[in-house]
Amino acid sequence: MPLVDQNGRPVRETWQATDIPPATGHNLLLPFQVARDMSPTELTRIAPIGLRVDGNTAFDQIVPILAYVGMVVISFPSFRDGRGFTLATTLRRHGFSGELRASGSILPDQLAALRQCGFSSIETPPAHPPAQWQAAASSFSEARPLLKHLLAQQSSVK
């Protein structure tokens, strides 16, 4: 899938997706379940890794391997499912400074919310090519009031 940055501009893929952890390599994008089962020695040998997680993955599950991670791809099963936004916000609030990528069922109309939550790139779904993301980026610059309210409310709970 084509990639765009948080401003809707096309970017080049620098990570290699794999389901089998190799003995060596770099910029490897692994499913969370595979990385979770690797030893610290194995993770150190191929770090930094990219981690593909579902939006419903608990932050606490990611913490033990987060030191080895340079990118997290958060998959959205539905554009109505906001758990990926919550996970991204939580990762950023806990100091994750690597790349955050949104994937799955996301809409160009959600670009401002994706930016606000700390996403730095987006795997564009086939139904929404990069040109639609560029148009969305130029049409507004910040999240709508409801999202701002919900994010502020979440901050006050923690």
Side-chain angles (χ1 to χ4, degrees):
M1 280 188 220
L3 291 176
V4 296
D5 66 13
Q6 64 184 352
N7 297 311
R9 294 182 298 241
V11 293
R12 189 175 63 84
E13 176 62 83
T14 58
W15 294 85
Q16 178 184 352
T18 181
D19 291 337
I20 303 167
T24 61
H26 64 284
N27 284 2
L28 299 173
L29 177 58
L30 301 171
F32 171 68
Q33 295 79 1
V34 171
R36 178 191 59 203
D37 295 339
M38 294 174 69
S39 72
T41 302
E42 292 172 311
L43 288 167
T44 299
R45 194 174 13 214
I46 62 172
I49 63 168
L51 195 61
R52 185 173 287 281
V53 300
D54 293 326
N56 65 351
T57 304
F59 173 74
D60 294 345
Q61 292 179 302
I62 301 171
V63 170
I65 60 174
L66 199 54
Y68 307 100
V69 175
M71 178 183 67
V72 177
V73 178
I74 300 175
S75 181
F76 288 76
S78 163
F79 72 89
R80 295 178 187 190
D81 189 332
R83 294 175 292 179
F85 292 107
T86 302
L87 180 57
T89 302
T90 303
L91 284 163
R92 290 295 190 214
R93 285 191 180 145
H94 284 86
F96 180 71
S97 61
E99 182 179 349
L100 276 181
R101 182 179 294 174
S103 177
S105 296
I106 46 179
L107 303 173
D109 288 352
Q110 296 172 310
L111 183 58
L114 291 164
R115 279 192 225 167
Q116 180 121 10
C117 294
F119 283 97
S120 45
S121 65
I122 299 138
E123 288 179 2
T124 61
H128 302 287
Q132 290 182 5
W133 293 90
Q134 289 172 321
S138 65
S139 67
F140 51 84
S141 61
E142 62 179 64
R144 293 185 174 95
L146 176 59
L147 178 62
K148 285 183 177 180
H149 172 73
L150 293 172
L151 289 172
Q153 191 175 36
Q154 182 185 27
S155 293
S156 66
V157 171
K158 292 184 179 191

